[in-house]
Amino acid sequence: MSNSALSVAILAGGMATRLRPITEKIPKLLVEVAGEPFFSHQIRLLKSAGLTHLVLCVGYLGEQIVQLYGDGSKWGVKIDYAFDGPKLLGTGGALIAALPRLGAAFFVLYGDSYLPIDYRAVGDFFLRSGQLGLMTVYENHGRYDTSNVWFEHGELRLYDKKNRGPQMQHIDYGLGVFRAAAFDGFPRDRVVDLASVQTQLCQRRQLAGYEITQRFYEIGSHEGLQELDTLLRRDKGVRGPEA
């Protein structure tokens, strides 16, 4: 398998409460950044990396995304949708529900993350690793959020969002890669946190670590939204479906 064959799951089913009142009537993916919906920027970034099969795990106001982007053909990508049912299943549960659409291996990206990195290099590293999962990490030292990863000598030693120790100087960067088999043994149709899946994989030494040196951007907060808006407005690239 080449990494261009990997699909991309985008976790976008949350309520986006931190962005209210902006998100009272629109989902987070449609929040305007630099003059267009955030999802347009994500599509462009992923397509430039050769990643053209996107599976949106959506819930809150997700129908608006379908109306605007449809099957993705106008953007030169294929978009599938996996809607939350009557009960929210959490980040891991949403992925488990979407597994039939995702294939044997896939990237996982959050619906508020903008990560201008080399996706091909990450995918190649994962496929060579033979592991069930991969976590990208960033040497954070508590800068952007609380560090939660012990990464040393190229190895992911410990990941725990609840119990943090002094060895944890890295943070989960927000891009993962998984084989579908990583979710074996977890319940279907019940709440599962992706962090719990990652923690268990790490304990079993089945979670590879890949260090990223570029900082990450996000629109999960008003501050992050303004910061990314400023960054993208400096970008003079083409902004349209044909990009």
Side-chain angles (χ1 to χ4, degrees):
M1 176 185 287
S2 68
N3 68 63
S4 61
L6 298 175
S7 55
V8 183
I10 299 178
L11 295 168
M15 302 288 287
T17 54
R18 286 193 298 160
L19 280 180
R20 289 181 178 172
I22 300 172
T23 50
E24 287 179 351
K25 295 184 178 179
I26 60 172
K28 191 185 296 184
L29 279 183
L30 300 188
V31 169
E32 184 175 304
V33 185
E36 62 184 335
F38 174 67
F39 188 40
S40 297
H41 298 286
Q42 270 195 332
I43 291 176
R44 191 175 296 112
L45 190 62
L46 295 170
K47 186 183 175 185
S48 70
L51 301 172
T52 58
H53 181 208
L54 315 181
V55 179
L56 298 190
C57 298
V58 290
Y60 176 67
L61 302 178
E63 297 83 1
Q64 295 183 22
I65 304 168
V66 180
Q67 290 172 3
L68 192 58
Y69 291 93
D71 63 3
S73 57
K74 291 182 179 178
W75 289 82
V77 297
K78 177 186 178 185
I79 301 176
D80 285 325
Y81 299 89
F83 272 84
D84 276 331
K87 184 177 77 169
L88 297 178
L89 297 174
T91 47
L95 285 173
I96 290 169
L99 285 176
R101 297 176 173 85
L102 287 168
F106 48 89
F107 286 96
V108 175
L109 180 66
Y110 289 95
D112 59 6
S113 295
Y114 187 83
L115 309 177
I117 60 170
D118 188 344
Y119 289 82
R120 290 185 180 92
V122 175
D124 286 341
F125 185 88
F126 168 70
L127 293 172
R128 289 197 308 269
S129 77
Q131 302 283 58
L132 288 178
L134 175 144
M135 176 185 288
T136 52
V137 300
Y138 176 79
E139 192 169 2
N140 181 55
H141 295 287
R143 187 179 311 142
Y144 296 112
D145 205 338
T146 306
S147 299
N148 52 27
V149 175
W150 178 11
F151 181 80
E152 189 174 56
H153 307 307
E155 183 182 352
L156 207 158
R157 303 286 297 278
L158 180 66
Y159 171 66
D160 196 322
K161 293 179 72 172
K162 297 178 180 177
N163 303 300
R164 298 179 172 101
Q167 312 99 321
M168 293 178 168
Q169 299 300 329
H170 288 70
I171 193 170
D172 176 6
Y173 185 78
L175 176 70
V177 200
F178 296 91
R179 299 184 191 277
F183 298 89
D184 288 352
F186 286 91
R188 270 52 179 166
D189 300 318
R190 286 173 55 187
V191 177
V192 177
D193 186 359
L194 179 58
S196 298
V197 178
Q198 292 167 311
T199 297
Q200 289 194 32
L201 289 175
C202 187
Q203 291 170 346
R204 287 153 43 193
R205 295 289 182 261
Q206 293 178 330
L207 187 66
Y210 186 96
E211 187 167 20
I212 302 289
T213 56
Q214 303 99 304
R215 62 151 297 187
F216 53 86
Y217 296 89
E218 50 79 27
I219 64 159
S221 65
H222 288 278
E223 181 183 12
L225 175 60
Q226 181 58 53
E227 189 174 39
L228 182 59
D229 184 85
T230 300
L231 175 79
L232 292 176
R233 286 187 186 279
R234 295 192 199 122
D235 177 14
K236 297 180 181 179
V238 177
R239 300 192 182 282
E242 71 283 356

